[in-house]
Amino acid sequence: MKKVAYDDYYKEQNYFGSPYPGLIKFFTNYYPKGTVLDLGCGQGRDSLLLGEIGFNVIGVDHSTVGIKQLNNEATKRQLTVKGLIRDIYEFPITKNIDLILLDSILHFYKNDLEKETKFARKILEELRVGGVFVNCILKGTTRERILKNIIQASHFKWEILAEFYTEFSESNTEFHLLAIKKGNFIEASDKQDDN
């Protein structure tokens, strides 16, 4: 498998530190504990936590080093967590996925805006009705608005389960956590009536 930049970073164990407190709180209090697809899981910071609190987890990342560390740790702790080396942008979202987690994956910088917008749309489209999309993004009015616009432009109803800022104590930065549940398809005519 091709070496990626993060392979070098992940030589340092726990490179990204601990999960955000708000993310821990949301998933700890979320029921039922189903299957989470953690896209861009890296070394498994979030995947391992979710396995510990009762979720089945599929972690996907392009770093061979990160996925190897995740799988070793999951085996050691006897967790139902499996890491796969894949391209997150192409990974299919099957009907057995209950929740999708993107933690610090979307940034919506100018050079990545088109690619990340297409990626977010793909996730929202492929996620099953009743499934939950959880996104943590660096606090910022513009990037938060872009994500909300993508959600509003989809052809489905979305229920907000959680929306708040959570501090990442290791760098004194805040992240916006948004968790939404997918509802039924909205006909184009119904969408116009709502406006």
Side-chain angles (χ1 to χ4, degrees):
M1 198 72 172
K2 181 178 148 187
K3 184 176 177 179
V4 297
Y6 280 104
D7 287 346
D8 289 331
Y9 301 142
Y10 291 154
K11 289 176 182 169
E12 177 186 331
Q13 291 290 333
N14 200 26
Y15 178 75
F16 281 111
S18 303
Y20 312 132
L23 187 140
I24 296 169
K25 181 180 177 184
F26 173 78
F27 279 101
T28 299
N29 295 320
Y30 183 86
Y31 292 94
K33 306 289 189 215
T35 299
V36 178
L37 177 61
D38 183 2
L39 292 172
C41 65
Q43 295 170 296
R45 169 180 79 171
D46 298 331
S47 292
L48 295 168
L49 163 82
L50 297 176
E52 292 279 0
I53 59 178
F55 289 92
N56 297 318
V57 184
I58 301 165
V60 179
D61 201 277
H62 63 169
S63 170
T64 304
V65 174
I67 291 297
K68 183 176 180 184
Q69 291 170 342
L70 165 62
N71 285 331
N72 287 343
E73 197 60 32
T75 299
K76 192 187 315 180
R77 298 189 205 178
Q78 300 181 326
L79 303 176
T80 54
V81 174
K82 180 176 178 129
L84 302 173
I85 304 163
R86 301 279 194 285
D87 179 349
I88 64 169
Y89 293 95
E90 301 297 327
F91 195 82
I93 298 163
T94 55
K95 298 299 179 198
N96 66 318
I97 301 300
D98 301 303
L99 301 99
I100 296 174
L101 172 62
L102 294 185
D103 179 357
S104 306
I105 301 301
L106 300 176
H107 305 287
F108 298 123
Y109 297 133
K110 186 178 178 182
N111 291 342
D112 299 321
L113 182 59
E114 186 178 338
K115 180 180 182 181
E116 291 183 356
T117 297
K118 185 177 174 185
F119 179 47
R121 285 181 181 148
K122 173 188 180 296
I123 290 169
L124 297 176
E125 185 68 32
E126 291 182 4
L127 179 65
R128 67 171 178 80
V129 170
V132 175
F133 173 60
V134 182
N135 183 72
C136 291
I137 194 168
L138 186 63
K139 181 179 180 180
T141 305
T142 301
R143 62 177 59 95
E144 291 170 34
R145 182 175 32 78
I146 290 169
L147 179 60
K148 287 183 179 178
N149 288 343
I150 293 168
I151 294 165
Q152 288 171 353
S154 79
H155 296 288
F156 293 90
K157 291 183 180 176
W158 294 93
E159 175 190 354
I160 296 176
L161 301 180
E163 183 175 17
F164 54 83
Y165 293 104
T166 180
E167 188 175 300
F168 184 41
S169 56
E170 289 160 36
S171 66
N172 282 332
T173 52
E174 282 188 301
F175 284 79
H176 177 254
L177 184 144
L178 176 65
I180 54 174
K181 185 174 186 177
K182 188 173 183 177
N184 292 323
F185 182 80
I186 303 171
E187 296 292 338
S189 58
D190 294 340
K191 202 159 195 172
Q192 288 173 352
D193 292 344
D194 290 343
N195 293 333

